[in-house]
Amino acid sequence: MATDERRWERFDRRRRISRFVLTLVAAVAVVGSWQFMDIGIVRPETIPREVGDLLTRMYPPDVAYTTRIVEPLVETIQIAALGTIGALVLSVSVALLAAENTTPNAVTFWLGKLIVTVSRSVNTIIWALFFVVMFGSGPLAGAVAIAFRSVGFLGKLLGEEIEEIDFGQVEAVRAAGASSVQVLLYGILPQVKPALVGLSIYRWDINIRDSTVLGFVGAGGIGVQLFRAVNAFAWQSVATVLLVILGVVVATESLSAYTRALVR
């Protein structure tokens, strides 16, 4: 009596070869990049000493310096809030263009995709440099940079949510004689409102962190104080700024997580 000697395997031979080739290519790319950039650690035994020396210089934090960073800290939060609100307003239009079931035609669809791609491809710092040149140093450049960076994030994810809505509800509102704005307000937005609120809060949380370093390029916020302290080698002041930033980030992340849980 013949027996079936076949063994179960997670991947067939073709997939195993493909995975091996991809792993090999990735390994070669890493090694080649390492050698091309001439990366090397000189005297690694000095690293703990240097880190210890830096921490010694930063301790104890300059508590008196806290009074000088309250205003820049509030400015940082305002930059993140204004940038997020601006991005939220713009992203609704971008999402409608980038969603296949709401975009008017192929041209507007690709326009929406282009806006999303450009926004997400350029780092916040680069946007800030661009707008500092346009508007000059200050929080305005930072807020606009945050808004332009966030549009792609919100537009992409919100567009994907719009593509998943029940379009029958939209058609029902339209059949009742609603205008385009009314279709948006009563047919589309109610179905994506939880996602819209959750994404906005999540992006605001990210923008708080991004706003803390915009001052390095003159776009306002607490990053200006951090940049000055680092340039002056005032390490105790640097420690104070870093601790304040850490506290704000932890607080906003907790608030963001709690608020997102409410809208789920």
Side-chain angles (χ1 to χ4, degrees):
M1 182 176 179
T3 58
D4 189 354
E5 296 182 355
R6 290 179 301 176
R7 279 188 315 172
W8 179 87
E9 294 181 347
R10 183 178 180 184
F11 302 111
D12 57 24
R13 183 181 179 187
R14 182 177 178 180
R15 293 191 63 183
R16 287 199 303 272
I17 294 175
S18 299
R19 289 166 64 87
F20 174 77
V21 171
L22 289 175
T23 303
L24 183 62
V25 169
V28 171
V30 171
V31 174
S33 300
W34 186 282
Q35 292 181 344
F36 177 78
M37 292 186 293
D38 194 23
I39 296 177
I41 299 178
V42 181
R43 300 181 62 187
E45 69 276 5
T46 64
I47 294 178
R49 185 180 72 240
E50 297 298 334
V51 172
D53 179 64
L54 179 61
L55 293 178
T56 300
R57 293 171 184 266
M58 296 174 72
Y59 182 83
D62 185 4
V63 179
Y65 192 70
T66 306
T67 58
R68 298 178 57 182
I69 60 178
V70 172
E71 185 176 345
L73 178 62
V74 173
E75 187 176 80
T76 296
I77 298 174
Q78 292 172 338
I79 288 173
L82 289 176
T84 304
I85 293 172
L88 179 60
V89 173
L90 295 173
S91 65
V92 174
S93 299
V94 173
L96 292 172
L97 293 178
E100 292 183 350
N101 56 346
T102 56
T103 192
N105 52 58
V107 174
T108 56
F109 174 75
W110 287 110
L111 175 62
K113 292 296 184 182
L114 177 63
I115 295 173
V116 167
T117 302
V118 171
S119 172
R120 295 173 66 241
S121 299
V122 180
N123 190 273
T124 309
I125 291 292
I126 307 301
W127 281 121
L129 283 169
F130 180 75
F131 290 114
V132 163
V133 173
M134 289 184 60
F135 303 124
S137 300
L140 175 61
V144 177
I146 289 292
F148 269 70
R149 181 65 175 86
S150 303
V151 163
F153 176 90
L154 293 174
K156 180 180 186 299
L157 297 181
L158 186 58
E160 292 175 353
E161 290 291 333
I162 292 176
E163 289 179 341
E164 299 297 325
I165 65 174
D166 177 13
F167 212 73
Q169 182 174 330
V170 178
E171 293 294 342
V173 174
R174 185 174 293 155
S179 64
S180 298
V181 175
Q182 290 173 325
V183 169
L184 173 64
L185 293 177
Y186 301 109
I188 298 176
L189 287 183
Q191 298 189 64
V192 299
K193 185 171 69 173
L196 181 61
V197 174
L199 290 172
S200 301
I201 296 171
Y202 180 54
R203 187 65 214 185
W204 173 73
D205 178 29
I206 296 173
N207 289 341
I208 287 287
R209 282 171 277 178
D210 286 349
S211 299
T212 59
V213 296
L214 293 182
F216 276 73
V217 295
I222 199 172
V224 176
Q225 298 299 119
L226 180 60
F227 183 67
R228 290 173 180 171
V230 171
N231 278 349
F233 300 103
W235 299 114
Q236 291 178 323
S237 298
V238 171
T240 301
V241 176
L242 293 178
L243 288 174
V244 169
I245 291 175
L246 177 62
V248 170
V249 169
V250 171
T252 55
E253 188 167 345
S254 301
L255 177 62
S256 172
Y258 173 73
T259 310
R260 291 201 308 273
L262 293 179
V263 298
R264 284 176 184 170

